[in-house]
């Protein structure tokens, strides 16, 4: 994997979509891989999702990049979670400290694992604008290679604070909730066909693709990881990584449609 940049590409999240149905997870992973989405984000926090992803990657692990997390108050619990991640065949490409939990405690042993070649990058995630001060402290420690942040036209707190810092420090950026999350009204409220017309030359056929392209058009964003439980949508979402990037006019249109 190259030093900093990961993308811009579309990956696949697993929160609330990869529960204990490993067969469905395998179908979604197969569809994503076939469509060119190769990065899979999970966490021990997501119940059976990590285990389902492990099963889904059996026989094709080398085709995927695993971005998972440690979500533990203690190093002992974190190491137990890491041990269970052997399901990813002894390798985690992007290992993230979930929601900043005990990040100072976890860094030394995660760095040892990275030095031993079992982890490529160490990242840190946070979902809440309220915790951005500590998030900036973690970034400024100089010990993280990647951050994962929420970003979509209605959730932009990280845009002003985290994206410039990531650029300054050379840290890769993964975007969670690019469609606004499972309960987001603006994903459901599809604009009309006519509203999307100016975006067709950019390869956009659906509102979800417009939202994903909106994120990817920011040059500081490396990877968006929309989650879906539907193989067809994994293909639809992957297609947002293809075709010309949005310019300022297209981004503004998506913002107007999202806020309408
Ligand atoms: N603190 C953290 O570290 C943290 C927090 C939140 C999220 N994350 C990561 O980021 C990933 C993405 O965030 P998220 O899952 O919260 O939100 P999201 O990806 O913005 O939204 C997921 C929702 O969008 C729907 N969806 C997916 N593709 C669609 C399409 N083409 N058209 C219409 N609806 C579509 C899915 O429903 P269907 O299943 O019905 O398609 C699902 O309900 C997570 O899965 C997780 O891996 C990390």
């Amino acid at each position: 994997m190259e030093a900093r940049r990961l993308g811009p590409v579309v990956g696949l999240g697993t929160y609330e979509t990869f529960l204990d149905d490993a067969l469905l997870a395998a179908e979604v992973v197969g569809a994503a891989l076939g469509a060119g989405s190769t990065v899979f984000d999970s966490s021990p926090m997501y119940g059976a999702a990590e285990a389902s992803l492990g099963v889904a990657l059996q026989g094709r692990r080398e085709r995927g990049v695993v971005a998972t997390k440690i979500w533990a108050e203690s190093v002992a619990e974190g190491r137990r979670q890491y041990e269970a991640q052997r399901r990813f065949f002894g390798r985690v490409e992007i290992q993230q400290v979930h929601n900043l939990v005990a990040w100072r405690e976890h860094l030394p042993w995660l760095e040892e694992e990275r030095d031993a070649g079992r982890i490529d990058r160490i990242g840190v995630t946070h979902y809440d604008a309220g915790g951005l001060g500590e998030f900036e402290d973690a970034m400024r420690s100089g010990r993280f290679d990647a951050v994962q942040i929420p970003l979509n036209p209605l959730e932009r707190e990280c845009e002003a604070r985290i994206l410039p810092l990531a650029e300054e420090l050379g840290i890769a950026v993964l975007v969670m909730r690019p469609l606004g999350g499972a309960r987001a009204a603006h994903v459901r409220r599809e604009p009309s066909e006519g509203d999307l017309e100016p975006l067709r030359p950019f390869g956009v056929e659906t509102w979800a693709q417009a939202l994903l392209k909106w994120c990817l058009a920011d040059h500081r964003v490396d990877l968006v990881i929309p989650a879906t439980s539907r193989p067809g949508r994994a293909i639809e979402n992957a297609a947002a990584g293809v075709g010309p990037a949005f310019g300022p006019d297209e981004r503004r249109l998506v913002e107007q449609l999202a806020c309408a």
Side-chain angles (χ1 to χ4, degrees), residues 13-15 17 41-42 46 69 98-99 125-127 148 175-182 187-188 208 225-230 233 236-237:
T14 61
Y15 178 54
T17 48
D41 182 81
S42 196
Y46 305 161
K69 308 189 188 86
H98 196 139
N99 289 352
T125 81
H126 203 39
Y127 69 100
Q148 186 179 143
V175 169
M176 65 174 79
R177 292 204 296 258
L179 303 176
V187 180
R188 318 272 173 263
I225 44 169
T228 182
S229 51
R230 309 184 202 200
R233 284 185 170 174
E236 171 189 335
N237 294 345

Side-chain angles (χ1 to χ4, degrees), residues 5-260:
R5 296 300 303 199
L6 283 160
V9 288
V10 180
L12 185 77
T14 61
Y15 178 54
E16 291 187 330
T17 48
F18 275 31
L19 298 173
D20 51 7
D21 189 342
L23 274 182
L24 178 62
E27 267 187 60
V28 178
V29 165
L33 282 172
S37 284
T38 57
V39 185
F40 301 97
D41 182 81
S42 196
S43 172
M45 189 203 184
Y46 305 161
E50 247 196 1
S52 293
L53 178 61
V55 173
L57 285 171
Q58 270 172 21
R60 49 190 176 186
R61 173 65 180 90
E62 71 292 346
R63 293 175 59 198
V65 168
V66 172
T68 194
K69 308 189 188 86
I70 298 297
W71 182 58
E73 296 284 355
S74 71
V75 169
E77 175 56 16
R79 283 190 179 278
R80 269 194 292 278
Q81 292 178 355
Y82 185 60
E83 191 59 30
Q85 290 168 357
R86 283 186 185 277
R87 59 169 61 96
F88 298 123
F89 308 93
R91 179 157 197 77
V92 170
E93 282 85 356
I94 307 173
Q95 182 64 275
Q96 303 154 101
V97 177
H98 196 139
N99 289 352
L100 289 164
V101 177
W103 62 274
R104 291 183 183 83
E105 288 77 7
H106 291 305
L107 268 172
W109 71 268
L110 291 176
E111 287 168 338
E112 276 171 27
E113 290 301 310
R114 185 180 55 191
D115 292 347
R118 290 184 282 270
I119 290 173
D120 289 340
R121 294 170 189 248
I122 301 175
V124 60
T125 81
H126 203 39
Y127 69 100
D128 178 14
L132 290 189
E134 189 180 351
F135 202 71
E136 287 166 333
D137 290 345
M139 291 170 75
R140 288 194 192 283
S141 73
R143 296 167 75 181
F144 289 103
D145 313 301
V147 287
Q148 186 179 143
I149 55 167
L151 185 68
N152 62 67
L154 296 186
E155 201 172 5
R156 302 182 68 168
E157 292 85 354
C158 287
E159 200 172 32
R161 286 180 65 174
I162 302 302
L163 291 183
L165 187 58
E167 183 171 42
E168 177 192 328
L169 299 173
I171 297 176
V173 175
L174 286 68
V175 169
M176 65 174 79
R177 292 204 296 258
L179 303 176
R183 283 165 281 279
H186 62 279
V187 180
R188 318 272 173 263
R189 202 182 52 225
E190 287 263 341
S192 70
E193 292 275 313
D195 285 336
L196 293 181
E197 203 51 50
L199 305 177
R200 307 252 181 247
F202 296 81
V204 168
E205 288 171 18
T206 68
W207 179 225
Q209 291 172 338
L211 289 166
L212 297 175
K213 268 191 176 284
W214 178 89
C215 275
L216 291 172
D218 188 312
H219 70 280
R220 300 162 298 188
V221 168
D222 289 278
L223 177 70
V224 292
I225 44 169
T228 182
S229 51
R230 309 184 202 200
R233 284 185 170 174
I235 296 168
E236 171 189 335
N237 294 345
V242 185
F246 283 173
D249 291 347
E250 291 74 33
R251 288 198 99 214
R252 211 168 303 115
L253 173 61
V254 172
E255 288 156 23
Q256 285 163 359
L257 293 172
C259 296

